[in-house]
Amino acid sequence: MRRYPPIAEHGLIGDLQTCALVSSEGVLNWLCSPRFDSPSVFAALLDHDRGGHFTITADAPGVTVRQLYLADTAVLITRFLTPDGVGELADFMPVDRPEEASRRHRVIRVMRVVRGTVRFALECRPRFDYGRERHELETDTAEARFRGRSVTAYLQTLGPVPLLRDGDGVRATATLSAGQLAAAVLTLDDSRSPAPERVTGDGLRAEFAAVREFWHGWIGRSRYRGRWQQQVNRSAITLKLLTYAPTGAPVAAATTGLPEQVGGERNWDYRHTWVRDASLSVRALLDLGFGDEAHAFRRWLGDRLRLGETVSGEPLQTMYRVDGDPRLPEQRLDHFEGWRGSAPVRIGNAAAGQLQMDIYGEAVFALSQGPDLGSAGGYEAWQRFAALIDWLCDHWDRPDEGIWETRGGQRDFTYSRVMCWVAFDRAIRHATAFARPADLPRWTAARDAVFRQVMERGWSPERQAFVQHYGSQVLDASLLLMPLVGFVAPKDPRWLSTLDAMDAELVADSLVHRYDPEASPDGLRGAEGTFSLCSFLYVDALARAGRLEQARYAFDKMLTYANHVGLFAEEIGPTGEQLGNFPQAFTHLALIIAAMALDAELDAADPAAGTGFGHARP
């Protein structure tokens, strides 16, 4: 077991309420319970010695390891090729009552040998509450109970896997021959709950069949039949895995504290729901055919407006917990050394209290997609929506911290104003389409004022480009969304010259930096890699601009940076390594958006070769 495997050398499993990362060596080194944003049970990803891990690997010299997903599922297969045989480890989490919140979660790890003989080694060492909480251990040869204050972990084995106590953890070995199976089932539950029933072979086979059927049935609803179906399906499954089913709220990523620069301080907690990220997913989900997921998030977002609970007193805030709680106090886990020494490790996120005006545009963009707001939430829902737009008429013209949550002070960010324009534009369209009462003259005046201001102050004649904030000459990749949301036409001369400027300054071998921290200090030390979200948005912008050869080449190159099972972290480092929290939902959303836009433009350029399933609507 390496102290810190590369971020990219992991697969993701989950049950739509929490999730786990399993390394390519068979080490489960990240799992929180009972929710994505709960304290960790296993966190060796952030501290090898204090974090805790659950390892099943082949105990043999010269092992070659391969990892893959069972096609179109969230079942992760790790293959061990040893001199004496070939073994496989299947990891999955059953999806139980996805519409209900549950404190009981199970990780099922099935060992089998397909050729020869393989000796498996098991080690389970949970460390509750980010390694800060001690636990009691009770064990016999087939079961171990790790009892913490609020969570208890039950480990049960099936087959020739006798457990041995080893300090406050357990070890075991199992030597299997071709055709033999063994299993280890970890159940996480409330400490007051009764122990789970004993596992059986028939029960595990039924669990496996059920989880496979669930994922095949879910992805089978997708309408995408374009050129990159495997990549789009994997991204869609990843987005589903990162969505908290009881509320419909997606988290930005599965992890906290993974660095944007090795050894640096840009280490944030992404296990929360960003209004921005989730809102921009609604159109893509609808286009793919996942209406239930899109509308579940719209309801969650509508509830945030209805309740109006924020730490700042604004109508909305940047992010919330998955249950809608606006309180995300930021703390440092100073006892954790961080992935490869990247400290501090933070939980919670102080950016929840920042002023980020763009979220109103993204929220309205989401709420105005699909059916009439009134039909979903009644007249009261429309009144709240209209009141939000009325409020925005008086408050849009303010400096803020911007989309990237910098800690260098408030500015008049161009992207924030563009998204305020989106809020007014989509609200006007929705009120008109469904004949809803609204102060349309006032909304229209505000929309036009924002547009004129951006064109006059967000445009730099010297750079011949839209810039990061008023009065600057700095470029910013967030503006790649301008044609996607319809603020400018994708072939508008001003936009094409902005795209050219980004090509020259922010793009390196088709990989895109968010901005230049030296030109626009963000209040943080160190640098970062290229932002994978922006790289896919760059493909989208190139495709819409008609630069199809360049767009397709950039897209195909980006796909080579995916890890061995098709997942992306937040960033790509200087030598192609993945950096930042993993996997990042926004990156996978942008991959889907880019694929659909590129399909649509390629189909339009050559209808005879078209798929007929591309989408490129604003």
Side-chain angles (χ1 to χ4, degrees):
M1 176 181 174
R2 289 171 291 178
R3 286 188 65 82
Y4 294 107
I7 291 169
E9 286 197 23
H10 292 86
L12 177 74
I13 60 173
D15 63 2
L16 312 187
Q17 295 184 48
T18 188
C19 62
L21 293 181
V22 180
S23 80
S24 59
E25 296 175 317
V27 182
L28 194 160
N29 56 23
W30 181 254
L31 173 64
C32 301
S33 185
R35 303 189 321 201
F36 296 108
D37 57 354
S38 298
S40 65
V41 177
F42 299 105
L45 190 63
L46 297 177
D47 193 296
H48 178 274
D49 300 318
R50 301 178 185 89
H53 64 93
F54 180 15
T55 300
I56 297 179
T57 191
D59 184 14
V63 179
T64 299
V65 184
R66 297 287 185 267
Q67 201 171 53
L68 69 154
Y69 278 111
L70 190 65
D72 287 340
T73 76
V75 178
L76 186 68
I77 309 295
T78 307
R79 290 170 51 81
F80 302 100
L81 286 66
T82 78
D84 298 319
V86 177
E88 292 185 346
L89 172 67
D91 284 312
F92 62 95
M93 296 180 70
V95 180
D96 293 333
R97 300 180 304 279
E99 72 284 356
E100 300 177 6
S102 172
R103 294 190 66 86
R104 174 165 286 191
H105 306 279
R106 291 171 296 156
V107 177
I108 297 178
R109 316 194 74 185
V110 179
M111 296 161 272
R112 72 167 187 157
V113 172
V114 297
R115 189 170 69 244
T117 300
V118 175
R119 175 183 167 93
F120 290 92
L122 177 153
E123 183 176 355
C124 186
R125 298 187 180 279
R127 296 287 185 270
F128 298 102
D129 189 22
Y130 307 108
R132 298 179 295 193
E133 179 184 311
R134 298 182 66 84
H135 62 266
E136 298 176 358
L137 172 60
E138 303 168 12
T139 185
D140 58 35
T141 58
E143 181 174 326
R145 179 181 300 187
F146 305 88
R147 188 180 296 278
R149 285 196 299 269
S150 58
V151 177
T152 293
Y154 301 91
L155 177 64
Q156 297 178 328
T157 60
L158 181 69
V161 194
L163 296 174
L164 298 174
R165 183 169 185 146
D166 184 10
D168 59 359
V170 294
R171 292 179 179 270
T173 60
T175 301
L176 305 179
S177 299
Q180 284 189 296
L181 294 174
V185 178
L186 182 76
T187 302
L188 301 171
D189 209 340
D190 189 293
S191 291
R192 297 179 299 275
S193 299
E197 296 180 359
R198 285 292 306 160
V199 298
T200 65
D202 288 343
L204 290 183
R205 280 186 283 271
E207 296 273 23
F208 180 82
V211 78
R212 182 177 57 187
E213 181 180 351
F214 171 83
W215 286 108
H216 283 168
W218 185 81
I219 200 64
R221 291 162 42 200
S222 174
R223 291 200 294 257
Y224 182 77
R225 298 294 183 273
R227 296 165 176 82
W228 296 279
Q229 188 164 356
Q230 182 177 347
Q231 292 86 351
V232 168
N233 282 2
R234 180 51 53 197
S235 289
I237 289 172
T238 303
L239 291 177
K240 180 71 170 174
L241 280 169
L242 295 175
T243 299
Y244 185 63
T247 64
V251 295
T255 58
T256 182
L258 292 180
E260 298 174 15
Q261 181 185 36
V262 178
E265 67 169 340
R266 298 168 184 260
N267 317 315
W268 314 109
D269 191 346
Y270 277 19
R271 300 169 300 153
H272 308 300
T273 301
W274 267 253
V275 169
R276 172 188 310 114
D277 304 29
S279 294
L280 291 174
S281 73
V282 169
R283 181 70 262 164
L285 289 170
L286 289 171
D287 284 345
L288 286 175
F290 299 119
D292 291 346
E293 288 74 13
H295 299 318
F297 173 71
R298 291 172 80 234
R299 287 192 295 272
W300 181 91
L301 184 57
D303 285 343
R304 306 287 71 74
L305 285 177
R306 177 175 59 84
L307 296 172
E309 297 175 350
T310 63
V311 295
S312 63
E314 301 275 328
L316 285 174
Q317 68 182 41
T318 307
M319 71 191 80
Y320 300 81
R321 295 193 182 278
V322 291
D323 61 357
D325 188 340
R327 294 162 297 180
L328 289 84
E330 188 170 294
Q331 305 172 45
R332 291 166 53 134
L333 301 180
D334 289 330
H335 63 290
F336 270 5
E337 71 172 348
W339 183 82
R340 297 188 179 178
S342 300
V345 173
R346 297 178 176 92
I347 56 173
N349 202 311
Q354 288 188 346
L355 177 64
Q356 296 179 28
M357 293 302 297
D358 65 283
I359 64 173
Y360 295 101
E362 288 123 5
V364 172
F365 184 83
L367 291 170
S368 62
Q369 301 292 325
D372 171 28
L373 275 168
S375 68
Y379 179 56
E380 291 76 13
W382 175 258
Q383 285 183 306
R384 288 190 294 271
F385 180 83
L388 176 68
I389 306 304
D390 289 339
W391 176 90
L392 192 60
C393 287
D394 295 325
H395 293 86
W396 65 265
D397 196 8
R398 293 185 288 171
D400 68 346
E401 273 88 4
I403 180 176
W404 305 128
E405 297 167 4
T406 59
R407 304 193 177 190
Q410 296 184 346
R411 297 186 176 92
D412 292 306
F413 285 100
T414 303
Y415 176 78
S416 297
R417 304 303 166 86
V418 167
M419 294 311 294
C420 287
W421 176 90
V422 170
F424 294 126
D425 178 71
R426 296 314 194 273
I428 292 166
R429 293 190 196 188
H430 198 82
T432 303
F434 295 102
R436 293 290 173 252
D439 192 347
L440 290 178
R442 187 182 183 205
W443 295 5
T444 302
R447 180 197 64 187
D448 295 347
V450 177
F451 187 86
R452 283 191 293 268
Q453 187 188 87
V454 170
M455 287 299 184
E456 293 168 4
R457 300 180 61 192
W459 170 258
S460 167
E462 294 80 13
R463 296 299 307 270
Q464 286 293 293
F466 292 103
V467 291
Q468 183 183 66
H469 57 86
Y470 297 169
S472 77
Q473 302 297 317
V474 177
L475 301 178
D476 193 305
S478 65
L479 299 177
L480 287 164
L481 280 162
M482 291 176 75
L484 189 150
V485 300
F487 185 88
V488 295
K491 297 181 182 179
D492 183 293
R494 284 193 174 195
W495 173 247
L496 293 178
S497 64
T498 299
L499 196 54
D500 289 338
M502 290 185 183
D503 273 333
E505 187 170 306
L506 297 182
V507 180
D509 192 32
S510 301
L511 300 176
V512 182
H513 290 274
R514 293 189 290 180
Y515 55 91
D516 181 357
E518 292 186 4
S520 179
D522 55 15
L524 297 166
R525 297 189 303 272
E528 60 181 16
T530 57
F531 219 64
S532 296
L533 159 71
C534 297
S535 298
F536 283 120
L537 293 180
Y538 173 64
V539 171
D540 177 86
L542 289 173
R544 292 171 187 271
R547 301 177 180 180
L548 294 183
E549 184 176 345
Q550 186 181 359
R552 185 158 191 176
Y553 187 43
F555 188 65
D556 286 341
K557 282 200 290 187
M558 263 306 293
L559 295 180
T560 69
Y561 290 102
N563 81 342
H564 57 289
V565 290
L567 302 181
F568 284 92
E570 184 178 27
E571 299 185 8
I572 304 296
T575 59
E577 72 277 20
Q578 296 208 30
L579 295 171
N581 284 307
F582 175 90
Q584 195 204 27
F586 214 171
T587 297
H588 286 277
L589 166 64
L591 184 155
I592 293 170
I593 290 172
M596 290 195 292
L598 192 49
D599 270 322
E601 297 298 334
L602 290 169
D603 290 354
D606 185 6
T611 64
F613 285 86
H615 299 271
R617 68 183 70 184

